[in-house]
Amino acid sequence: QVQLLESGGGVVQPGRSLRLSCAASGFTFRNYAMHWFRQPPGKGLEWVALISYDGNNQYYGDSVKGRFTISRDSSNNTLSLQMNSLRADDTAIYYCARARGVTRAHSDYWGHGTLVTVSP
Amino acid sequence: QSALTQPPSASGSPGHSVTISCTGTSSDVGHYIYVSWYQQHPGQAPRLMIYEFNKRPSGVPARFSGSKSGNTASLTVSGLQTEDEADYYCSSYAGNNTLVFGGGTKLTVL
């Protein structure tokens, strides 16, 4: 069965960096584009980034553009999110998800998330 | 990437129907069929309920349906059950490989 398992969350000071990982299993990872989403505690969902199936194309939400980098290692079935210059408003649960559809606009499988807290 | 507009709350009695709206613009909901709906129970990951505005993934009950008119998409839950009580989020493709979400609607089954 499809499984996505995020890791790497924790408490980090403003301005510092953190790298999240998402281990994928149960499907042919190299065939699918992947998303990162996030959800601040008690608030709504926000799209963060998308990477194409082959890793050649990356797209970002306005709030993280220039600070976050999405990447993938299909030899290890792993998706990553490098987060630099972290701010308090980056505090959220971060989810990885498998992208589907021609425009990769919907996600049929999600991980359970990893919490990132940006605090002095 | 402006957020889509959803009502903060909705409610209905068991067995009845409820419709949740999701209003965007001519650059997202009004321009594309790629509207999705997600259900999220407390402490859980989102679950895909509707994609491409009216398609249901396998395993989603038929009492969940989606529609779209102009800049507004809607999710209708018929024959409400207690387990339908959750937060519901709409999202839309917004062009240039970007997505936008609504703020979420808390559905209460009275």
Side-chain angles (χ1 to χ4, degrees), chain A residues 7-13 17-20 83 86 90-92 94 114-119:
Chain A
S7 61
V11 180
V12 60
Q13 293 179 327
S17 298
L18 200 64
R19 187 177 184 88
L20 305 182
M83 304 185 296
L86 282 162
D90 294 318
T91 294
Y94 284 75
T114 186
L115 177 62
V116 173
T117 303
V118 183
S119 178

Side-chain angles (χ1 to χ4, degrees), chain B residues 6-86:
Chain B
Q6 295 181 236
S9 63
S11 62
S13 301
H16 288 219
S17 296
V18 66
T19 296
I20 299 170
S21 63
C22 169
T23 301
T25 69
S26 57
S27 297
D28 38 62
V29 175
H31 193 75
Y32 300 101
I33 65 167
Y34 305 109
V35 176
S36 309
W37 288 92
Y38 297 91
Q39 175 191 67
Q40 188 179 35
H41 288 109
Q44 295 187 18
R47 174 192 179 191
L48 178 67
M49 306 301 284
I50 297 288
Y51 67 100
E52 293 174 10
F53 87 89
N54 66 354
K55 295 180 180 177
R56 240 183 358 265
S58 61
V60 172
R63 52 203 183 76
F64 287 87
S65 63
S67 62
K68 189 171 83 77
S69 178
N71 295 341
T72 299
S74 299
L75 173 72
T76 297
V77 187
S78 306
L80 275 169
Q81 298 185 6
T82 54
E83 59 262 36
D84 299 333
E85 186 162 295

Side-chain angles (χ1 to χ4, degrees), chain A residues 35 37 39 43-45 47 50 59-62 95 103-108 110-111, chain B residues 1 34 36 38 40 44-46 48 51-52 89 91 93 96-99 101-103:
Chain A
H35 288 289
F37 298 96
Q39 184 172 34
K43 297 188 177 181
L45 293 165
W47 172 71
L50 164 68
Y59 309 94
Y60 300 93
D62 287 343
Y95 297 99
T103 56
R104 288 83 58 95
H106 65 274
S107 293
D108 57 351
W110 295 59
Chain B
Q1 297 168 1
Y34 305 109
S36 309
Y38 297 91
Q40 188 179 35
Q44 295 187 18
L48 178 67
Y51 67 100
E52 293 174 10
Y89 294 92
S91 74
Y93 183 70
N96 297 317
N97 295 286
T98 64
L99 300 178
F101 275 89

